Amino acid sequence: YTVSTARPVAGTTCYSLATGVPNCFIGGSAMKDFEAVGGTAHCKQLCLQNQDEGCRSWRYDAEGETCALLQAAFDQAACCPKPAYTSGTIDIVITGHSPATANHGVPFDLTVLGVLPSVLPVQRVKVVPAGSSCADPLPPATVGLACAAGVVCSP
């Protein structure tokens, strides 16, 4: 599976590795705390590694180099401005789907398993033939969906 929300840094072909919302403190009791954490990406990774135990968001304190894992979904509107803090979510984690295959022209129900952040207003899945790339153009029969660069789609 490939899920990408990355965009090139303006004026370059480079992608930012920054993660989370800077200067954002998300309150709430931590399900786990870690010390000597090397940055926001490390904090996010700790949340991903603990998502089966309920981690949905995280906050990183750059001054103390600590990471708090939170069970509440990330809500940027709830950020309290604090310069040393960065908070964020684990984004989308897909753990499986069913059915594994589908036949052309035969209707089917698709079930996607995983963790989807509750702050995303709409979820989309692009189904492509086996051996195809998600970057391939949409089939002509597709209606109500437009994609830029093949992978960023919206209604």
Side-chain angles (χ1 to χ4, degrees):
Y1 306 98
T2 301
V3 176
S4 176
T5 58
R7 308 284 189 278
V9 175
T12 74
T13 57
C14 298
Y15 287 81
S16 172
L17 297 179
T19 187
V21 177
N23 304 317
C24 169
F25 177 89
I26 294 292
S29 299
M31 61 177 272
K32 285 188 180 180
D33 287 299
F34 294 89
E35 296 181 357
V37 175
T40 58
H42 184 194
C43 189
K44 180 178 180 176
Q45 181 62 37
L46 291 167
C47 192
L48 282 165
Q49 290 170 339
N50 286 274
Q51 59 103 9
D52 287 341
E53 295 161 36
C55 188
R56 297 296 176 263
S57 59
W58 51 268
R59 69 174 173 251
Y60 176 72
D61 176 4
E63 289 178 355
E65 295 185 335
T66 60
C67 174
L69 305 185
L70 310 169
Q71 290 182 312
F74 178 74
D75 180 3
Q76 189 169 345
C79 287
C80 295
K82 288 196 177 181
Y85 285 87
T86 299
S87 299
T89 183
I90 58 173
D91 301 316
I92 297 173
V93 178
I94 305 230
T95 58
H97 65 84
S98 66
T101 61
N103 294 317
H104 179 73
V106 179
F108 66 96
D109 291 326
L110 176 65
T111 301
V112 178
L113 306 172
V115 177
L116 302 173
S118 62
V119 296
L120 296 177
V122 177
Q123 306 292 330
R124 296 281 186 260
V125 174
K126 184 177 181 183
V127 179
V128 298
S132 296
S133 166
C134 284
D136 290 347
L138 290 170
T142 303
V143 293
L145 189 63
C147 297
V151 294
V152 181
C153 302
S154 62

